[in-house]
Amino acid sequence: MKIAQFYDFTDKNIYYGILKGEKIYKIEGDVFCNFIEINDFVTLDRIKILPVTLPSKIICVGLNYKDHADEVKMRLPEEPIIFLKPNSSIVGQNDYIVMPNQSKRIEYEAELAVIIKKEGKNVPLEEAKNYILGYTCANDITARDLQKKDGQWTRAKSFDTFCPLGPFIETEVDPTNLEIKLFLNKELKQHSNTEYMIFGIYYLISFISSIMTLFPGDVILTGTPPGVGQIKKGDEVIVSIEGIGELKNFIK
Ligand code: MG
């Protein structure tokens, strides 16, 4: 099932719905808890797809692909290295990523995003699966020069528009073996598979929830594979994940 949040041009309201072909069927209830699909649909040309969630926090994992660790010649971490992005950095499908004046080098990072379904603290590994609503595409946009200059990552990762997310939450895919790609101006720049993650998704949920309570709608970005690189004004960038979809954004 593919879940979307969207703005309906006709009645000017925001809804969650379920994508079926070129139609989205609206739901009643809480998308993170209990909901039912109703017999009221809109076509894709009558809506704008919105970011899938406005989370309380976005928890990101640095260096979580074996092939990326090889690329940057870093030892595999013993524990996940985590950092946060603010929810104000989120944009959705077809939205602009805005280059800030403070940086001379902005880079893309294609990542699989996990959407949390319910509140969790100290989630045991074997129960982590029950805390996942689904998966979507993310782009962990980074001001690489500021990341190096500051010595910590908050400024570099947190500018408005630095977290494209979407377009849909896929609830049924197996996240352990998915092709993940990034296209810059239609050219393939990143290509890997989620099977090369160092720390698996269930482990990450258990690990992160031992530090901070996870809430419904919270987002975990699971790290980027090799091939990160620079983006410039006028570029088009697409994160494509097998079974989930394509997240397209433009740079200005
Ligand atoms: Mg990243």
Side-chain angles (χ1 to χ4, degrees), residues 60-63 83 109 111 140 142 157 221 223-224:
C60 310
V61 184
L63 202 67
F83 62 94
E109 295 186 359
E111 305 202 9
D140 176 19
T142 304
K157 296 282 190 178
L221 301 196
T224 197

PDB file of all heavy atoms in Angstrom, residues 60-63 83 109 111 140 142 157 221 223-224, ligand 1:
ATOM      1  N   CYS A  60      19.168  10.819  11.824  1.00  0.00           N
ATOM      2  CA  CYS A  60      19.949  10.384  10.658  1.00  0.00           C
ATOM      3  C   CYS A  60      21.138   9.558  11.115  1.00  0.00           C
ATOM      4  O   CYS A  60      21.709   9.797  12.187  1.00  0.00           O
ATOM      5  CB  CYS A  60      20.473  11.594   9.893  1.00  0.00           C
ATOM      6  SG  CYS A  60      19.216  12.811   9.526  1.00  0.00           S
ATOM      7  N   VAL A  61      21.506   8.603  10.271  1.00  0.00           N
ATOM      8  CA  VAL A  61      22.658   7.753  10.552  1.00  0.00           C
ATOM      9  C   VAL A  61      23.769   8.114   9.572  1.00  0.00           C
ATOM     10  O   VAL A  61      23.544   8.162   8.361  1.00  0.00           O
ATOM     11  CB  VAL A  61      22.278   6.266  10.409  1.00  0.00           C
ATOM     12  CG1 VAL A  61      23.455   5.379  10.807  1.00  0.00           C
ATOM     13  CG2 VAL A  61      21.052   5.947  11.246  1.00  0.00           C
ATOM     14  N   GLY A  62      24.943   8.394  10.107  1.00  0.00           N
ATOM     15  CA  GLY A  62      26.108   8.663   9.263  1.00  0.00           C
ATOM     16  C   GLY A  62      26.859   7.370   8.998  1.00  0.00           C
ATOM     17  O   GLY A  62      26.907   6.492   9.859  1.00  0.00           O
ATOM     18  N   LEU A  63      27.424   7.241   7.827  1.00  0.00           N
ATOM     19  CA  LEU A  63      28.278   6.091   7.476  1.00  0.00           C
ATOM     20  C   LEU A  63      27.629   4.751   7.803  1.00  0.00           C
ATOM     21  O   LEU A  63      28.026   4.056   8.727  1.00  0.00           O
ATOM     22  CB  LEU A  63      29.630   6.210   8.203  1.00  0.00           C
ATOM     23  CG  LEU A  63      30.792   5.436   7.574  1.00  0.00           C
ATOM     24  CD1 LEU A  63      31.164   6.011   6.236  1.00  0.00           C
ATOM     25  CD2 LEU A  63      32.002   5.410   8.495  1.00  0.00           C
ATOM     26  N   PHE A  83      22.757  11.728  14.113  1.00  0.00           N
ATOM     27  CA  PHE A  83      22.597  13.177  14.247  1.00  0.00           C
ATOM     28  C   PHE A  83      21.163  13.513  13.877  1.00  0.00           C
ATOM     29  O   PHE A  83      20.400  12.640  13.448  1.00  0.00           O
ATOM     30  CB  PHE A  83      23.611  13.921  13.363  1.00  0.00           C
ATOM     31  CG  PHE A  83      23.472  13.657  11.896  1.00  0.00           C
ATOM     32  CD1 PHE A  83      22.713  14.491  11.085  1.00  0.00           C
ATOM     33  CD2 PHE A  83      24.094  12.555  11.302  1.00  0.00           C
ATOM     34  CE1 PHE A  83      22.587  14.238   9.729  1.00  0.00           C
ATOM     35  CE2 PHE A  83      23.976  12.300   9.941  1.00  0.00           C
ATOM     36  CZ  PHE A  83      23.216  13.147   9.154  1.00  0.00           C
ATOM     37  N   GLU A 109      22.605  13.174  -0.899  1.00  0.00           N
ATOM     38  CA  GLU A 109      22.838  11.852  -0.289  1.00  0.00           C
ATOM     39  C   GLU A 109      21.519  11.083  -0.367  1.00  0.00           C
ATOM     40  O   GLU A 109      20.588  11.364   0.389  1.00  0.00           O
ATOM     41  CB  GLU A 109      23.266  11.969   1.182  1.00  0.00           C
ATOM     42  CG  GLU A 109      24.610  12.651   1.400  1.00  0.00           C
ATOM     43  CD  GLU A 109      25.062  12.608   2.863  1.00  0.00           C
ATOM     44  OE1 GLU A 109      24.325  12.070   3.720  1.00  0.00           O
ATOM     45  OE2 GLU A 109      26.159  13.127   3.148  1.00  0.00           O
ATOM     46  N   GLU A 111      18.909   8.348   0.434  1.00  0.00           N
ATOM     47  CA  GLU A 111      18.756   7.503   1.634  1.00  0.00           C
ATOM     48  C   GLU A 111      17.356   6.897   1.710  1.00  0.00           C
ATOM     49  O   GLU A 111      16.368   7.512   1.303  1.00  0.00           O
ATOM     50  CB  GLU A 111      19.019   8.332   2.900  1.00  0.00           C
ATOM     51  CG  GLU A 111      20.384   9.019   2.842  1.00  0.00           C
ATOM     52  CD  GLU A 111      20.966   9.406   4.185  1.00  0.00           C
ATOM     53  OE1 GLU A 111      20.398   9.002   5.222  1.00  0.00           O
ATOM     54  OE2 GLU A 111      21.988  10.115   4.168  1.00  0.00           O
ATOM     55  N   ASP A 140      19.421  13.490   1.970  1.00  0.00           N
ATOM     56  CA  ASP A 140      20.051  14.158   3.122  1.00  0.00           C
ATOM     57  C   ASP A 140      21.009  15.230   2.614  1.00  0.00           C
ATOM     58  O   ASP A 140      22.222  15.047   2.578  1.00  0.00           O
ATOM     59  CB  ASP A 140      20.771  13.104   3.979  1.00  0.00           C
ATOM     60  CG  ASP A 140      21.524  13.719   5.140  1.00  0.00           C
ATOM     61  OD1 ASP A 140      21.224  14.875   5.512  1.00  0.00           O
ATOM     62  OD2 ASP A 140      22.436  13.044   5.679  1.00  0.00           O
ATOM     63  N   THR A 142      23.399  18.242   2.234  1.00  0.00           N
ATOM     64  CA  THR A 142      24.469  18.593   3.175  1.00  0.00           C
ATOM     65  C   THR A 142      25.333  19.715   2.609  1.00  0.00           C
ATOM     66  O   THR A 142      25.773  19.631   1.455  1.00  0.00           O
ATOM     67  CB  THR A 142      25.366  17.353   3.413  1.00  0.00           C
ATOM     68  OG1 THR A 142      24.549  16.268   3.861  1.00  0.00           O
ATOM     69  CG2 THR A 142      26.445  17.644   4.443  1.00  0.00           C
ATOM     70  N   LYS A 157      23.547  20.429   8.008  1.00  0.00           N
ATOM     71  CA  LYS A 157      22.464  19.496   7.684  1.00  0.00           C
ATOM     72  C   LYS A 157      21.078  20.116   7.836  1.00  0.00           C
ATOM     73  O   LYS A 157      20.080  19.451   7.550  1.00  0.00           O
ATOM     74  CB  LYS A 157      22.547  18.282   8.624  1.00  0.00           C
ATOM     75  CG  LYS A 157      23.817  17.441   8.476  1.00  0.00           C
ATOM     76  CD  LYS A 157      23.740  16.538   7.253  1.00  0.00           C
ATOM     77  CE  LYS A 157      24.883  15.518   7.233  1.00  0.00           C
ATOM     78  NZ  LYS A 157      24.770  14.627   6.063  1.00  0.00           N
ATOM     79  N   LEU A 221      16.571   8.484   8.811  1.00  0.00           N
ATOM     80  CA  LEU A 221      17.323   8.382   7.559  1.00  0.00           C
ATOM     81  C   LEU A 221      18.483   7.419   7.788  1.00  0.00           C
ATOM     82  O   LEU A 221      19.270   7.607   8.711  1.00  0.00           O
ATOM     83  CB  LEU A 221      17.868   9.743   7.107  1.00  0.00           C
ATOM     84  CG  LEU A 221      16.877  10.880   6.851  1.00  0.00           C
ATOM     85  CD1 LEU A 221      17.558  11.989   6.047  1.00  0.00           C
ATOM     86  CD2 LEU A 221      15.641  10.424   6.136  1.00  0.00           C
ATOM     87  N   GLY A 223      21.219   6.428   6.186  1.00  0.00           N
ATOM     88  CA  GLY A 223      22.576   6.567   5.659  1.00  0.00           C
ATOM     89  C   GLY A 223      22.617   6.466   4.142  1.00  0.00           C
ATOM     90  O   GLY A 223      21.672   5.996   3.512  1.00  0.00           O
ATOM     91  N   THR A 224      23.724   6.935   3.583  1.00  0.00           N
ATOM     92  CA  THR A 224      23.826   6.998   2.118  1.00  0.00           C
ATOM     93  C   THR A 224      24.885   6.031   1.585  1.00  0.00           C
ATOM     94  O   THR A 224      25.896   5.796   2.252  1.00  0.00           O
ATOM     95  CB  THR A 224      24.123   8.440   1.651  1.00  0.00           C
ATOM     96  OG1 THR A 224      23.826   8.558   0.255  1.00  0.00           O
ATOM     97  CG2 THR A 224      25.592   8.826   1.872  1.00  0.00           C
TER      98      THR A 224
HETATM   99 MG    MG B   1      23.310  11.132   5.226  1.00  0.00          MG
END
